[in-house]
Amino acid sequence: MARHGGGRGWYGKMVGAALGVTILATGASVWTAQAGGTDDAPPRATAPSNAVKPVDATIAHASEAGKRGINITIDDGPDPKWTPVLLDLLREHEVKATFCMVGAQAEAHPDLVKKVVAAGHRLCDHSVSHDTAMDKRSGAYQSKQILDAERMITKASGGVRPMYYRAPGGAFTPHSRQLAASRGMRPLGWNVDTKDFELPGTDAIVATVERELPNGPTLLFHDAGGDRTQTVEALRRLLPRLKEQGYVFGFPVR
C-alpha cells in the first residue's frame, strides 16, 4: 500500500489548531505523546471502557457486498467544506461509504461525525494526528494514537464506535493491528489508491479506478487536506458508471 507522506504540511497546522480544543476538552492533552513518544517516556493510553467484541486482526480488503461489491473509503476528515459535499453526493446516488476519520478532526467537528453516522455510513479510526511514520514509533505511542482517536471519534459521534482502523499511509504493525482488532476495529487496507490527494486531475482519478479495480474492491479517496473538487467530480462520474456496470456498493468485511 502506498504511503501519502508528501505534501502533508496541513496536518501540522491542523494539529496546532486542534491542540487548544483538545486541552480545553480533556485537560490532559493527547498531544504530549506527539512531542515525545519515545521509549524513555512512553505515553499512557487507556482503552475506552465500553465492552467490545474482538475481530480478525488481518488487514481487510474484501467487500461485504460480495464479488461485485465496491467499498468507497474516504480518509482524513471530517472537513467542514468537503465532507458535506460528499455526503450530498453519496445520498444522491444511494451509496454508503466508510469514513476514516482523524481523531483531532472528529473532535473539532462533532456535528459532521454525527451527520456521517445519521446517513448510514460507517466510521473508521485513522489515528489522532495522521502520523505516517507510526510504524517506526514505540508500541506505547501507537497505542495512544489509536485509542485516543477511538475515544475522540466515539465521543464526537454520540456513542457510535469506529468499526475499522486504517493506519496512516498504511503504516500498520503487528502491534497496531492486534490492538485495533482487540477493540473491535478491523484493520482496513485498500486496493485502489486513487491518488486524489496529489490533485492529478479528475480524468486521471477516474482512469486510475477503472484501470486498478481488478486489483480489489476497496477504493481510497479523501475529504480533507485541501481542494477536493477533483475527488467530488470523479465520484460524480464513477458512481453511476460503476452501477451501470453491475457493481454494488457496500462496506469492507469485518
Side-chain angles (χ1 to χ4, degrees), residues 105-182:
Q105 291 291 95
E107 185 175 63
H109 305 290
D111 56 325
L112 292 178
V113 182
K114 291 179 176 68
K115 286 181 179 179
V116 167
V117 171
H121 305 291
R122 288 184 181 178
L123 302 177
C124 171
D125 179 332
H126 201 34
S127 81
V128 171
S129 62
H130 203 279
D131 182 353
T132 58
M134 273 181 63
D135 55 341
K136 304 298 191 296
R137 307 296 294 271
S138 70
Y141 175 86
Q142 295 174 45
S143 295
K144 189 164 181 63
Q145 284 278 317
I146 294 167
L147 296 178
D148 283 352
E150 179 193 359
R151 186 180 297 104
M152 290 173 174
I153 295 167
T154 302
K155 181 178 179 181
S157 72
V160 178
R161 299 183 62 261
M163 299 176 70
Y164 308 92
Y165 166 67
R166 173 173 277 167
F172 287 103
T173 66
H175 172 77
S176 68
R177 289 191 294 103
Q178 291 292 341
L179 175 63
S182 74

Side-chain angles (χ1 to χ4, degrees), residues 72-74 96-100 121-124 164 188 250-252:
I72 301 294
T73 65
I74 302 173
K96 303 303 181 187
T98 301
F99 284 78
C100 299
H121 305 291
R122 288 184 181 178
L123 302 177
C124 171
Y164 308 92
L188 177 59
F251 295 114

